[in-house]
Amino acid sequence: MTDAQILFIGFGLVATAIFAVVGSQLAPANPNTTIVPSERRWNWAGGAAFATVVSLGALFQSLGLDDGLPTGARIGGVGIGVMCAVLVALLAYVLNGDEDRGPRWRMTGIVFSAGMTVLAVVVKIVT
């Protein structure tokens, strides 16, 4: 394994843990109460962790880190693709404005992960 791969995996583990905690905090409470069941918190934490792993895996594949360090042109192209995924996720966030905070952010994360997956497929086809 190269240093870049080890650093990326380390970053991925930290990011996954952070987003799992955030996901558990966004879980909606039961109707008419402020209590969030622990099963729902775990469900939302797992979903956030899964989406993070999918997005980071797509980024890893898009950058071609399995073949060593990427070129500057590839980093730039993938950077533009990530910004497009962010733009689509922002659009999903705005279009779901009538939802509660948790479901709104969940949909935003799903759309971002889908955008990152599409980016990985397109980069694989082009290169």
Side-chain angles (χ1 to χ4, degrees):
M1 286 188 104
T2 66
D3 290 344
Q5 292 170 333
I6 293 169
L7 289 171
F8 191 88
I9 291 170
F11 165 76
L13 290 173
V14 172
T16 301
I18 290 170
F19 282 112
V21 170
V22 170
S24 73
Q25 296 303 308
L26 289 173
N30 285 336
N32 303 322
T33 68
T34 59
I35 299 171
V36 179
S38 63
E39 298 86 20
R40 188 174 301 144
R41 283 197 190 275
W42 278 107
N43 183 359
W44 281 62
F50 179 75
T52 304
V53 169
V54 168
S55 297
L56 289 174
L59 182 62
F60 187 92
Q61 182 63 40
S62 297
L63 288 172
L65 289 176
D66 51 341
D67 296 329
L69 293 176
T71 64
R74 187 166 189 149
I75 292 171
V78 170
I80 291 170
V82 170
M83 293 306 295
C84 290
V86 168
L87 179 65
V88 171
L90 179 62
L91 180 63
Y93 181 81
V94 170
L95 291 176
N96 286 301
D98 56 342
E99 295 285 333
D100 289 336
R101 179 183 70 163
R104 186 178 190 188
W105 277 107
R106 182 178 232 184
M107 182 55 69
T108 302
I110 291 168
V111 170
F112 178 76
S113 293
M116 291 297 293
T117 304
V118 168
L119 171 65
V121 169
V122 169
V123 167
K124 191 68 172 176
I125 290 171
V126 172
T127 58

